[in-house]
Amino acid sequence: MSANDPFARLPEAATFTVTSTTVADGAAWSAEQFAAGVPGGKDVSPQLSWNGAPEGTKSYAVTVYDPDAPTGSGFWHWAVADIPATVTELPEGAGDDTGSGLPEGAFQLPNDARAARFMGAAPPAGHGPHRYFVVVHALDVASIGVPADATPAFLGFNIAGHILGRAVLTATAETPAA
């Protein structure tokens, strides 16, 4: 696992709280949050609840990012934009192929596998533990204004100019060497 901090060069933001019934902060993903190609993996997005967002929040975005992927640029597993400010929870499985658990107006962007859904963990065997930053971003706009086919990196670039607060939960995953 590398020591790189994906927030080190981003604008500072107030903090608030995100929790999950699926995974505790610092704990390993369950098998369901692994990619479908991994034994037991089902690509099920985690349940998320958040509170304490800064005053003036008009929408949220949710991202799941693995900075430890051996790509040079990490790996985006999930990105959701335009979650209304009145919403403070996503059910487990909201990130399926249809986004069936997402609130009206919210949409999923393609992950780094180019699928607009949650893609579970799949660290290479023997690569060591990976961190998965599950982040709820509180924004000062009702719509972040990115197209539905934008990349998560482009979403992040736009978030940087509208961030009010950031709630972070970190999950881990590892695939043992064969």
Side-chain angles (χ1 to χ4, degrees):
M1 175 173 6
S2 67
N4 59 331
D5 177 356
F7 306 110
R9 298 187 64 181
L10 295 179
E12 287 193 28
T15 59
F16 61 106
T17 303
V18 59
T19 59
S20 175
T21 58
T22 304
V23 65
D25 188 34
W29 286 125
S30 69
E32 288 190 336
Q33 279 69 52
F34 274 75
V38 175
K42 295 183 180 176
D43 288 317
V44 176
S45 62
Q47 183 279 338
L48 301 173
S49 298
W50 55 91
N51 62 60
E55 188 172 329
T57 298
K58 295 182 180 172
S59 72
Y60 298 99
V62 170
T63 57
V64 177
Y65 175 69
D66 171 6
D68 303 315
T71 65
S73 61
F75 193 93
W76 292 97
H77 287 262
W78 196 29
V80 182
D82 292 356
I83 299 169
T86 56
V87 174
T88 58
E89 180 175 9
L90 293 178
E92 186 172 72
D96 65 11
D97 285 330
T98 65
S100 63
L102 298 178
E104 187 175 337
F107 63 95
Q108 301 179 109
L109 287 78
N111 56 38
D112 277 348
R114 301 308 298 150
R117 61 163 296 122
F118 175 82
M119 180 179 185
H127 196 253
H130 283 217
R131 298 166 295 158
Y132 297 82
F133 287 84
V134 180
V135 184
V136 180
H137 310 265
L139 307 174
D140 66 0
V141 291
S143 174
I144 194 65
V146 300
D149 64 350
T151 64
F154 186 69
L155 173 65
F157 180 80
N158 284 278
I159 285 171
H162 294 285
I163 190 81
L164 294 174
R166 188 179 295 124
V168 181
L169 180 151
T170 305
T172 63
E174 182 173 8
T175 304

